[in-house]
Amino acid sequence: MRIGLAGAGRIGARHAAALCALPEVDALVIADVDAVRARDLVARLPSEPRAFVPDTVEGLFSAGLDGLVVAAATDAHADLVARAMAARMPVFCEKPLAPDLDGTFQAVAASAAAGVPVQVGFQRRFDAGNAAAREAVASGRLGWLHTVRSCSFDPAPPPAGYVRASGGLFRDCVIHDLDLIRFVTGREVVRVMAAGANRGDEFFRECGDVDTGSALLFLDDGTLGVVSATRYNAAGYDSRLELFGSKDSVVTGQDARTPVTALPERGNGARHVYSGFMERFADAYDAELRAFVDVIAGRRGNPCPPEEALEAFYLAEACELSLKEGRVVGTEEVRR
């Protein structure tokens, strides 16, 4: 396969390495608005598969690609996905498909009309623990669920420039938890109540954002969900999912590298905790691109189509509205 990669930044470099490890990929075409960055990335990759850098990002669409991976800046996603669909080219796109709800809705409609596979990058679906939790729920092992808890704790905040363009904590970060809860439980969220706080850098407040947030989720079968997120968890990156049922309870993401200390302390010494999401979900990032190659080859169906991304965006939008207005918001209020 000849795969294109739009974006040679941090996540683009991660995807390039994963693609190079796939035996089906014999050529990788990498483009970035900063051509020097694209060439530097190619220089760091192994000699096989062959890697090329077109003169411009537009050059990707005349490179005879079998599929395109979009890891460019958020504001470029919608246009790149649209161009890939117009070229009848399967595309993998990092979330979000578009920076706003209207753009996401339009991308979903265009994908349905074109009939071209568009896989969205919600990598937590490919985490082995999360996949096992989904199976535990579906098998009935847990009985009926009464509580689901998910957290996303970053060790340090992103730059102010990123926050200004991020869309807010719930759209940028918590959206992963929201998608995961739908994926694992197989249920829909019908109402949310969100709250936030600012106790860190002032630029969050200046951007109209919060550095810490929580949401109470009401699922359609009566299960309650609690999502928590923060930009200030200096102990390390922490992403866990807990499911409590009438018969059993399980947790994913809890291991020797989870950045929490049990009290009383046992003198176990220093811990090697997760530094960030790319380290915590390294295997999941590899797995989602293996899945994309299988989608291109027709060996499997799309594991995360645009419609799933839209549902997660609806929930994030409902959380942001609840945060702004200080009330319970029904998800039907934000649907198109």
Side-chain angles (χ1 to χ4, degrees):
M1 291 182 183
R2 187 178 180 89
I3 303 297
L5 174 63
R10 183 175 60 155
I11 192 66
R14 177 70 183 79
H15 287 331
L19 290 166
C20 284
L22 296 174
E24 295 94 338
V25 179
D26 56 18
L28 191 59
V29 184
I30 302 174
D32 192 281
V33 291
D34 182 345
V36 172
R37 183 163 65 175
R39 287 193 291 270
D40 287 346
L41 174 56
V42 167
R44 300 195 303 270
L45 295 175
S47 57
E48 294 293 336
R50 296 170 296 156
F52 308 90
V53 179
D55 293 335
T56 64
V57 174
E58 287 73 20
L60 287 170
F61 298 97
S62 58
L65 301 179
D66 296 299
L68 175 67
V69 173
V70 175
T74 295
D75 59 3
H77 288 190
D79 178 64
L80 289 167
V81 170
R83 295 185 65 176
M85 287 190 290
R88 311 293 302 171
M89 183 189 303
V91 57
F92 172 95
C93 182
E94 274 299 322
K95 70 87 185 167
L97 276 174
D100 57 20
L101 187 54
D102 286 340
T104 303
F105 184 83
Q106 291 167 9
V108 170
S111 173
V116 177
V118 177
Q119 180 182 333
V120 185
F122 281 106
Q123 85 282 355
R124 295 188 194 186
R125 290 177 171 230
F126 296 87
D127 175 76
N130 292 334
R134 175 180 164 94
E135 292 175 6
V137 172
S139 71
R141 169 187 163 183
L142 306 185
W144 46 266
L145 293 178
H146 55 77
T147 305
V148 179
R149 296 196 304 219
S150 182
C151 72
S152 292
F153 295 158
D154 291 330
Y162 176 90
V163 172
R164 291 190 188 94
S166 70
L169 182 69
F170 290 94
R171 296 188 189 97
D172 177 55
C173 179
V174 176
I175 193 169
H176 281 287
D177 301 85
L178 299 170
D179 175 73
L180 185 61
I181 287 174
R182 289 186 65 251
F183 175 72
V184 169
T185 66
R187 311 304 308 190
E188 298 297 340
V189 178
V190 294
R191 299 187 306 281
V192 306
M193 179 64 198
N198 284 304
R199 302 188 67 189
D201 290 291
E202 186 62 27
F203 65 75
F204 284 99
R205 192 185 310 275
E206 293 169 352
C207 295
D209 197 5
V210 293
D211 60 52
T212 301
S214 291
L216 176 62
L217 313 178
F218 302 83
L219 278 62
D220 59 5
D221 65 347
T223 303
L224 296 180
V226 180
V227 176
S228 301
T230 187
R231 304 293 195 179
Y232 291 94
N233 198 60
Y237 181 76
D238 194 353
S239 174
R240 278 173 287 157
L241 178 70
E242 300 171 291
L243 299 110
F244 301 89
S246 60
K247 293 181 179 179
D248 198 2
S249 303
V250 294
V251 59
T252 73
Q254 183 166 307
D255 55 33
R257 300 185 65 183
T258 303
V260 294
T261 300
L263 298 177
E265 296 188 51
R266 306 296 183 182
N268 293 327
R271 293 167 297 150
H272 178 49
V273 301
Y274 293 107
S275 61
F277 61 88
M278 284 202 291
E279 186 178 29
R280 162 68 177 85
F281 291 108
D283 291 343
Y285 278 113
D286 291 343
E288 69 178 357
L289 288 179
R290 284 197 300 272
F292 179 54
V293 166
D294 286 342
V295 169
I296 295 173
R299 293 191 290 259
R300 67 172 295 175
N302 189 344
C304 192
E307 292 81 4
E308 295 290 283
L310 178 60
E311 290 299 325
F313 209 124
Y314 281 142
L315 299 184
E317 195 78 2
C319 287
E320 290 286 349
L321 181 59
S322 176
L323 174 67
K324 178 182 178 181
E325 299 188 355
R327 64 179 178 89
V328 174
V329 171
T331 53
E332 290 301 321
E333 294 183 47
V334 297
R335 290 186 177 276
R336 298 291 189 269

